Amino acid sequence: MSIQNPFSCFLIGQGTLLVQCAELLLERGHQIFGVISADTSISSWAKAKDIPHIQQTENLIAFLRQQPFDYLFNIVNSSLLPKEILELPRQLAIDYHDAPRPKYAGLNATSWALMHREKTHGVTWYVMSDSAEGGDILKQVAIDIADDDTAFSLTGKCHEAAIRAFEELVDEISSGQALALKQNLDERTYLRHSKRLVAGGVLSFNRCAYDIDADIRALDFASYPNPLGVAKLAIGNDSIVIPKLEVKDDRSKSSPGTITAIEPSFLTVSTASYEVALRQVLTIDGQALSIPDLVERFGLQVGYQFKDIEPDRARRIERFDGLIAQHEAFWVEKLATLEPIAVPYADRTTSHLNQKQYTSVKMSIPDEVTTFLEGHPAWNQSDFLFAAFATYLARLVGTGCFDIGYRDVEVQRELIGLEGLFASIVSCRVDIDYQQSFEEVFKAFEEQVELTKLHKTYARDVVARYPALRSLPDRSREPIFPVVVERVEKLDEHQAGFGNELTLVIPSPKNETEAPGF
């Protein structure tokens, strides 16, 4: 094709869509001055093409100001770019969104469209602005939604439509025929990162079977990371994951949630409309659970009724899920690099027993420690005991880098009644340099504990949602930490039973007069 006006550009983003768009630009004779991406595969592609590239954490403005350029293409990048960057292109900064703007602006648009049972969806290329609303629409393509579409399949349709639309847009830009249409912001909806699933994805059978099916398909990301959640059933204080269901032709005759049949390969459950068959069931951390095992584990039988969770509890789940959504990337990275410490001399000969036996020992704090802390008024006793214990373990096992399970009293207050959905024990990384003084070790350790507390916790289904975590050792059991440090209000109220091999129980900073215990 003859290009009337070749142009220059930079690209920001990630994924295969960016590479395909870049290839199309090069084929048509346009210049790519640089690529900004945290995606290593894109960095490799740019290197092979001899195109300058940097990580998104580096100095974007300095990189973009190296020479004048015409367009900035922002492709699959959820970060809001500042006004000073958007003003750098001589022509336009252009963004891609996998939804028909202005509707479904924000994140996880394909999932929300499926949950709302939309019949059509779309993709949009539009002019970027320094606000979340965005500017004029340059190219928009509609997509039909099939009855069996999932988040994965609909995203694939968006990808294909985005390439076609980008090809047309590039040709229109180069020939001076691109048209910009104003967005009707009265139709705008914005999906923030904190917008989470109703009741954390816990299903209610007191709804139409097709609505339930739509919710489940909206959370099916296949083998790709799932940032939103999974559909779950609450059984008492436990939860199981429902990755798929089948809507039957039979009208429900029993109360919604009633098990009407149990077969070796499926359960049939009534809803507010049609019967549904559950053929695939997973544990909360993504392990396959056969129907016979499910029935035996929870004592299910024909006539058993799955109950809706109480409205107040559902709201608590949704609020807490939204609160910790911002921390999920932090915990995914932590879990992907988890290094649980192995306790020397731990007696594993009774590991076959259903109930582990615990011995508790209450320990007095030596006077030397009290005297030492009096000379360090900025140090609190709780953190000191935690750091000393971690340092002792490092000496014991001969390594300074490992993870200890951590259970914080403040987070536990927020988790009361929600422990089946959110992790009670999280990872606290210990990284000790033997060349450091204890003062230096303590300071670094104190910062790590504060970082852990700041990020609170994560949804227990996170392991099932991220491919990087599917090889996590022992993910099929709880907990995954042999050693745990737990802060409590009162030592006398502590109850053992997490299943780990060693727990140090220490009073919270507000109750430091108490002695710790194991």
Side-chain angles (χ1 to χ4, degrees):
M1 173 177 283
S2 174
I3 302 299
Q4 296 182 12
N5 296 296
F7 57 77
S8 59
C9 63
F10 281 88
L11 281 74
I12 302 178
Q14 59 184 334
T16 57
L17 180 59
L18 184 146
V19 172
Q20 288 178 276
C21 290
E23 292 279 9
L24 190 147
L25 288 167
L26 295 176
E27 289 172 3
R28 279 164 161 68
H30 303 294
Q31 290 182 291
I32 300 177
F33 285 163
V35 174
I36 301 102
S37 179
D39 192 327
T40 55
S41 64
I42 290 179
S43 298
S44 298
W45 174 87
K47 185 177 181 180
K49 295 289 184 179
D50 200 25
I51 295 174
H53 59 280
I54 61 169
Q55 297 287 318
Q56 285 180 250
T57 55
E58 298 180 55
N59 192 332
L60 301 188
I61 295 179
F63 185 67
L64 293 170
R65 280 180 172 167
Q66 294 180 86
Q67 55 189 318
F69 64 99
D70 298 315
Y71 292 94
L72 174 65
F73 293 104
N74 191 56
I75 305 172
V76 192
N77 173 38
S78 58
S79 300
L80 195 64
L81 299 178
K83 184 178 180 180
E84 56 187 333
I85 286 181
L86 302 182
E87 292 176 344
L88 291 177
R90 288 179 294 203
Q91 299 298 328
L92 295 173
I94 299 175
D95 199 0
Y96 163 72
H97 187 56
D98 59 348
R101 285 257 178 170
K103 197 172 184 180
Y104 293 113
L107 303 176
N108 307 309
T110 52
S111 291
W112 293 111
L114 289 170
M115 281 187 273
H116 294 160
R117 298 190 66 186
E118 300 283 2
K119 297 299 182 183
T120 60
H121 195 56
V123 299
T124 309
W125 292 93
Y126 64 98
V127 178
M128 297 183 72
S129 72
D130 58 343
S131 69
E133 286 85 357
D136 296 346
I137 294 172
L138 297 171
K139 181 66 64 173
Q140 192 166 91
V141 176
I143 301 168
D144 290 332
I145 297 178
D147 292 339
D148 60 350
D149 264 330
T150 64
F152 172 72
S153 64
L154 184 55
T155 299
K157 289 181 177 180
C158 289
H159 185 112
E160 294 175 0
I163 291 294
R164 296 195 304 270
F166 187 75
E167 183 176 6
E168 294 175 6
L169 176 61
V170 168
D171 291 345
E172 290 171 0
I173 288 174
S174 63
S175 62
Q177 297 178 355
L179 298 177
L181 301 176
K182 294 289 184 183
Q183 293 192 50
N184 182 1
L185 296 181
D186 291 337
E187 299 178 356
R188 179 179 179 270
T189 57
Y190 186 72
L191 307 168
R192 299 183 183 279
H193 188 270
S194 58
K195 180 174 174 56
R196 310 303 283 176
L197 305 174
V198 174
V202 177
L203 296 174
S204 167
F205 285 113
N206 198 24
R207 300 171 61 216
C208 169
Y210 288 104
D211 287 339
I212 299 171
D213 175 57
D215 285 355
I216 293 173
R217 288 185 288 105
L219 301 173
D220 182 356
F221 287 75
S223 60
Y224 285 82
N226 173 352
L228 197 52
V230 291
K232 296 177 281 287
L233 273 184
I235 307 179
N237 293 325
D238 291 307
S239 298
I240 57 172
V241 176
I242 309 298
K244 188 176 295 186
L245 62 69
E246 174 189 345
V247 179
K248 310 286 284 185
D249 294 331
D250 304 318
R251 280 276 182 181
S252 294
K253 298 177 181 178
S254 302
S255 300
T258 303
I259 296 177
T260 58
I262 298 178
E263 300 294 339
S265 60
F266 66 91
L267 291 178
T268 301
V269 184
S270 59
T271 73
S273 58
Y274 294 90
E275 301 269 288
V276 295
L278 307 183
R279 298 183 183 275
Q280 294 184 33
V281 180
L282 308 175
T283 63
I284 192 68
D285 49 17
Q287 295 290 303
L289 188 63
S290 70
I291 296 301
D293 286 345
L294 171 69
V295 170
E296 180 180 1
R297 177 179 296 192
F298 296 103
L300 304 181
Q301 58 186 353
V302 173
Y304 176 91
Q305 187 174 9
F306 295 105
K307 300 290 187 180
D308 286 356
I309 59 176
E310 301 81 3
D312 286 346
R313 184 168 177 245
R315 285 190 288 270
R316 282 189 62 214
I317 293 170
E318 193 171 344
R319 282 197 299 269
F320 192 73
D321 197 23
L323 176 67
I324 65 172
Q326 61 184 312
H327 305 311
E328 187 159 285
F330 172 87
W331 289 117
V332 170
E333 182 179 354
K334 285 287 185 183
L335 290 169
T337 58
L338 197 66
E339 296 182 27
I341 187 173
V343 183
Y345 319 118
D347 183 4
R348 298 178 176 84
T349 60
T350 58
S351 60
H352 65 283
L353 297 178
N354 292 329
Q355 183 66 40
K356 288 193 175 184
Q357 303 298 314
Y358 293 92
T359 299
S360 298
V361 178
K362 197 168 185 177
M363 304 178 65
S364 298
I365 299 174
D367 293 339
E368 292 85 352
V369 171
T370 304
T371 302
F372 177 78
L373 289 175
E374 287 174 354
H376 296 77
W379 294 13
N380 70 64
Q381 178 181 285
S382 180
D383 284 345
F384 175 83
L385 294 174
F386 196 168
F389 179 62
T391 305
Y392 165 73
L393 289 175
R395 295 288 188 182
L396 188 64
V397 301
T399 179
C401 186
F402 52 86
D403 289 284
I404 292 179
Y406 178 62
R407 192 171 192 258
D408 187 77
V409 63
E410 294 178 8
V411 174
Q412 297 319 302
R413 292 195 199 102
E414 299 179 81
L415 278 183
I416 294 174
L418 308 182
E419 296 89 348
L421 296 171
F422 304 99
S424 294
I425 301 173
V426 298
S427 165
C428 183
R429 175 58 59 92
V430 175
D431 194 355
I432 294 174
D433 183 348
Y434 292 120
Q435 303 303 315
Q436 292 178 316
S437 67
F438 184 76
E439 285 79 3
E440 292 172 316
V441 169
F442 179 80
K443 182 178 180 181
F445 191 77
E446 194 176 34
E447 291 174 355
Q448 183 62 44
V449 172
E450 285 303 311
L451 184 66
T452 303
K453 291 171 62 177
L454 176 67
H455 290 88
K456 292 183 178 291
T457 186
Y458 53 89
R460 289 182 60 197
D461 61 28
V462 72
V463 177
R465 294 190 280 114
Y466 287 87
L469 304 183
R470 288 173 189 161
S471 60
L472 189 66
D474 297 327
R475 69 186 177 97
S476 60
R477 65 178 178 87
E478 275 284 329
I480 54 178
F481 302 101
V483 178
V484 171
V485 172
E486 181 180 3
R487 295 188 203 255
V488 297
E489 289 281 6
K490 295 182 179 181
L491 290 176
D492 292 340
E493 296 177 358
H494 174 262
Q495 293 182 340
F498 297 120
N500 48 283
E501 295 164 356
L502 179 63
T503 301
L504 173 66
V505 185
I506 52 179
S508 66
K510 296 180 181 179
N511 299 280
E512 291 188 343
T513 56
E514 289 195 81
F518 283 91

